[in-house]
Amino acid sequence: MLGRAQPDAALSHAHTVFGGPMIALPPGGLRNMKWREVMDAVRRRVFAARHDRKDFGAAVVIGRELERKRITSELHDGLGQALTLIKLTIEDARIRLRGGRTLEARELLDAAVIRICEAIGDVRQICNELNPVLLERLGLVASLASLCARVDERVENLSVRFDCGVQDAEVPGNLRADIFRVAQEALTNALRHGSAKTIDVRLHCTEHGLSLAIEDDGVGFDTLCTATDPDFDGGLGLIGMKHRVEAAGGTFVVQSSVTGGTLVSAIWSV
Ligand SMILES: Nc1ncnc2c1ncn2[C@@H]1O[C@H](COP(=O)(O)OP(=O)(O)O)[C@@H](O)[C@H]1O
Ligand SMILES: [Mg+2]
């Protein structure tokens, strides 16, 4: 079993050259490390070197590696198991067909079709997480509208409003994926952590630039505590959003308090 010292040692070997990020992970990358240990190491490194762009960049790249690990396990544990089950069900149906038990075989095949449909849905979801297809097909504004509508429909007692004052042509191509990802993460946080009843997503061109805001009326949180507590047990969502926005020259701000409500905003001069 890996000790705590090893992920730290691995991280200290990650070299970053900013301005064309170049990260060399240790041989074997993070493959052999336990998820929890890697997350702890990343968090310690981020807190220890918050003001050092080089280490911050390394932590973000490792965060991406973690994301790949998560998707691999979704493919392996989720989709892999679903396909195995489908194969077994069809084999079972074949045996029954050979024995002349057509009714039973038909029921099994019906069940297999339902499972195949579920697996297709899983594949779509995984692909969409990797690369929002909607974004390329529909464009940013329609994709955001569709994201908001989907969350609004799927979650009971929640209202998601989308207020948009821009057209796709006004949004530089390099910012589209960033805007979509920030909105997606902030919406997820509002639901998962805030238990919000109302979420407002706003995208506008202002005198200061292109402005994105996601505001929820959920439980809120202590941003100071989250930013300074080295034992904070959260993920890399807020850090990832900040890095994304700042890497494209924007400004990222999170306002929240334990009395309730969270406002995530990003602004890019265009
Ligand atoms: N909209 C929100 N409402 C309440 N708490 C939030 C919200 N957004 C973030 N948080 C708090 O900040 C923490 C860090 O969020 P994040 O970096 O996205 O990581 P993760 O979502 O994986 O926990 C969360 O665990 C939660 O405690
Ligand atoms: Mg999150």
Side-chain angles (χ1 to χ4, degrees), residues 185 188-189 192-193 237-238:
E185 172 66 24
T188 306
N189 278 350
R192 187 187 292 162
H193 307 300
L238 292 172

PDB file of all heavy atoms in Angstrom, residues 185 188-189 192-193 237-238, ligand 2:
ATOM      1  N   GLU A 185     -20.270  23.794 -13.704  1.00  0.00           N
ATOM      2  CA  GLU A 185     -19.731  23.488 -12.375  1.00  0.00           C
ATOM      3  C   GLU A 185     -20.478  24.278 -11.297  1.00  0.00           C
ATOM      4  O   GLU A 185     -20.821  23.743 -10.237  1.00  0.00           O
ATOM      5  CB  GLU A 185     -18.223  23.789 -12.344  1.00  0.00           C
ATOM      6  CG  GLU A 185     -17.565  23.692 -10.977  1.00  0.00           C
ATOM      7  CD  GLU A 185     -17.544  22.289 -10.379  1.00  0.00           C
ATOM      8  OE1 GLU A 185     -17.621  21.305 -11.136  1.00  0.00           O
ATOM      9  OE2 GLU A 185     -17.467  22.175  -9.138  1.00  0.00           O
ATOM     10  N   THR A 188     -23.860  22.787 -10.736  1.00  0.00           N
ATOM     11  CA  THR A 188     -23.736  21.527  -9.988  1.00  0.00           C
ATOM     12  C   THR A 188     -23.492  21.811  -8.508  1.00  0.00           C
ATOM     13  O   THR A 188     -24.092  21.191  -7.639  1.00  0.00           O
ATOM     14  CB  THR A 188     -22.566  20.684 -10.565  1.00  0.00           C
ATOM     15  OG1 THR A 188     -22.772  20.540 -11.955  1.00  0.00           O
ATOM     16  CG2 THR A 188     -22.486  19.317  -9.922  1.00  0.00           C
ATOM     17  N   ASN A 189     -22.613  22.779  -8.219  1.00  0.00           N
ATOM     18  CA  ASN A 189     -22.345  23.120  -6.818  1.00  0.00           C
ATOM     19  C   ASN A 189     -23.600  23.646  -6.118  1.00  0.00           C
ATOM     20  O   ASN A 189     -23.859  23.309  -4.966  1.00  0.00           O
ATOM     21  CB  ASN A 189     -21.243  24.184  -6.734  1.00  0.00           C
ATOM     22  CG  ASN A 189     -19.858  23.569  -6.827  1.00  0.00           C
ATOM     23  OD1 ASN A 189     -19.697  22.351  -6.779  1.00  0.00           O
ATOM     24  ND2 ASN A 189     -18.849  24.409  -6.959  1.00  0.00           N
ATOM     25  N   ARG A 192     -25.700  20.502  -5.543  1.00  0.00           N
ATOM     26  CA  ARG A 192     -25.109  19.481  -4.684  1.00  0.00           C
ATOM     27  C   ARG A 192     -24.851  19.995  -3.274  1.00  0.00           C
ATOM     28  O   ARG A 192     -25.143  19.336  -2.301  1.00  0.00           O
ATOM     29  CB  ARG A 192     -23.801  18.995  -5.306  1.00  0.00           C
ATOM     30  CG  ARG A 192     -23.211  17.805  -4.564  1.00  0.00           C
ATOM     31  CD  ARG A 192     -21.855  17.451  -5.075  1.00  0.00           C
ATOM     32  NE  ARG A 192     -21.898  16.930  -6.431  1.00  0.00           N
ATOM     33  CZ  ARG A 192     -20.843  16.875  -7.230  1.00  0.00           C
ATOM     34  NH1 ARG A 192     -19.680  17.330  -6.803  1.00  0.00           N
ATOM     35  NH2 ARG A 192     -20.927  16.376  -8.421  1.00  0.00           N
ATOM     36  N   HIS A 193     -24.289  21.201  -3.168  1.00  0.00           N
ATOM     37  CA  HIS A 193     -23.898  21.692  -1.847  1.00  0.00           C
ATOM     38  C   HIS A 193     -24.894  22.701  -1.285  1.00  0.00           C
ATOM     39  O   HIS A 193     -25.010  22.826  -0.078  1.00  0.00           O
ATOM     40  CB  HIS A 193     -22.525  22.366  -1.903  1.00  0.00           C
ATOM     41  CG  HIS A 193     -21.468  21.517  -2.510  1.00  0.00           C
ATOM     42  ND1 HIS A 193     -21.106  20.303  -1.988  1.00  0.00           N
ATOM     43  CD2 HIS A 193     -20.697  21.696  -3.614  1.00  0.00           C
ATOM     44  CE1 HIS A 193     -20.142  19.776  -2.734  1.00  0.00           C
ATOM     45  NE2 HIS A 193     -19.892  20.593  -3.736  1.00  0.00           N
ATOM     46  N   GLY A 237     -13.311  21.947  -7.901  1.00  0.00           N
ATOM     47  CA  GLY A 237     -14.213  22.687  -8.780  1.00  0.00           C
ATOM     48  C   GLY A 237     -13.966  24.186  -8.774  1.00  0.00           C
ATOM     49  O   GLY A 237     -13.806  24.814  -9.821  1.00  0.00           O
ATOM     50  N   LEU A 238     -13.922  24.790  -7.570  1.00  0.00           N
ATOM     51  CA  LEU A 238     -13.739  26.237  -7.474  1.00  0.00           C
ATOM     52  C   LEU A 238     -12.363  26.644  -8.004  1.00  0.00           C
ATOM     53  O   LEU A 238     -12.234  27.606  -8.755  1.00  0.00           O
ATOM     54  CB  LEU A 238     -13.884  26.700  -6.006  1.00  0.00           C
ATOM     55  CG  LEU A 238     -15.282  26.600  -5.392  1.00  0.00           C
ATOM     56  CD1 LEU A 238     -15.232  26.902  -3.897  1.00  0.00           C
ATOM     57  CD2 LEU A 238     -16.246  27.561  -6.073  1.00  0.00           C
TER      58      LEU A 238
HETATM   59 MG    MG B   2     -17.877  21.260  -7.292  1.00  0.00          MG
END
